[in-house]
Amino acid sequence: MVRKRLTAARYPPRTGIRMQEESLIESYIRDVPDFPKPGIVFKDITPLLQSPEGLKLSIDLLAEVVDPAEYDLVCGIESRGFIFGTALADRLNKGFIPVRKPGKLPWKTESESYELEYGSDKIEIHIDAVRDARRVLMVDDLLATGGTMEAALKLVRKIGGEPVAAAFVIELSFLSGREKLCGLPAHSLISY
Ligand code: AMP
């Protein structure tokens, strides 16, 4: 259950408690220098997932950033977006739709190519992923340059969905990724 204190529809103010929660999440993020390429500092979320307290808090907070009445489905981006996206969808009694790497989805797909902080890639979605439930909350573990989420937004729109907001555990704000989201409300639990 979403904790009572933060059931407000909007992102909670940065109170002392909120800052403690951010620090807790940050304490579970491990920096791995030069992975997967020299010069990249990889934000490893596995210590956060490994901690019952950290995992629960991250889902609690993601559940609070957007009023659940504003969306019908949660869309997660392979692969770490699946972890947070499905947990959030289950918590809020929403459906989950996956955006996957090429060749993984068995039915008819739409696809989009995009640039990564460390390379380029392509993602796909099933053409019937949204059906009648059109309003979609987009979820990924991390916002870096924004290319991945930008491509995922295009995919959801291509199949008739309406992204209402994007939620991330981590934002690398120095890479200005939210500029690529063209004004879509974007929320991150912690920002570097
Ligand atoms: P971007 O498209 O540049 O916003 O990159 C976001 C995607 O790449 C997310 O799915 C992240 O999981 C992954 N990613 C990019 N940079 C990092 C990083 N420094 N640490 C961990 N994951 C990253």
Side-chain angles (χ1 to χ4, degrees):
M1 280 298 288
V2 176
R3 287 155 304 146
K4 274 200 179 129
R5 185 180 60 79
L6 295 173
T7 47
R10 297 292 165 191
Y11 199 72
R14 289 188 86 243
T15 59
I17 291 172
R18 171 71 196 167
M19 286 162 81
Q20 277 173 25
E21 290 171 334
E22 285 175 14
S23 304
L24 189 81
I25 289 185
E26 197 174 342
S27 73
Y28 287 120
I29 307 293
R30 174 167 53 197
D31 281 1
V32 183
D34 300 320
F35 181 88
K37 281 187 175 177
I40 300 293
V41 179
F42 193 86
K43 298 290 183 189
D44 178 15
I45 54 154
T46 61
L48 179 70
L49 301 176
Q50 189 185 19
S51 157
E53 174 191 45
L55 178 59
K56 182 177 185 315
L57 178 61
S58 55
I59 303 303
D60 284 350
L61 295 177
L62 286 171
E64 293 163 0
V65 295
V66 182
D67 182 349
E70 289 183 16
Y71 58 95
D72 313 297
L73 293 166
V74 176
C75 176
I77 303 173
E78 186 170 358
S79 58
R80 291 179 294 276
F82 290 179
I83 298 168
F84 296 102
T86 49
L88 180 63
D90 179 61
R91 175 81 61 92
L92 297 175
N93 200 27
K94 307 288 181 187
F96 176 83
I97 58 176
V99 162
R100 296 211 65 180
K101 305 258 163 72
K104 300 284 187 186
L105 289 169
W107 183 238
K108 294 174 189 166
T109 57
E110 285 285 357
S111 63
E112 274 289 332
S113 298
Y114 63 101
E115 299 297 314
L116 266 182
E117 191 188 0
Y118 40 79
S120 68
D121 216 334
K122 194 176 178 188
I123 47 176
E124 296 183 341
I125 196 167
H126 272 155
I127 56 167
D128 60 355
V130 296
R131 297 180 191 266
D132 296 331
R134 296 165 54 89
R135 301 171 309 158
V136 183
L137 175 68
M138 309 295 294
V139 174
D140 204 357
D141 66 323
L142 183 142
L143 177 66
T145 65
T148 310
M149 186 53 79
E150 182 186 30
L153 292 172
K154 284 183 187 164
L155 281 182
V156 168
R157 289 180 179 127
K158 267 187 190 173
I159 61 163
E162 180 203 341
V164 297
F168 307 88
V169 178
I170 304 164
E171 177 175 1
L172 304 183
S173 54
F174 54 89
L175 293 172
S176 306
R178 61 174 59 223
E179 285 172 17
K180 288 230 178 78
L181 309 185
C182 299
L184 185 81
H187 308 277
S188 50
L189 304 186
I190 57 169
S191 179
Y192 294 89

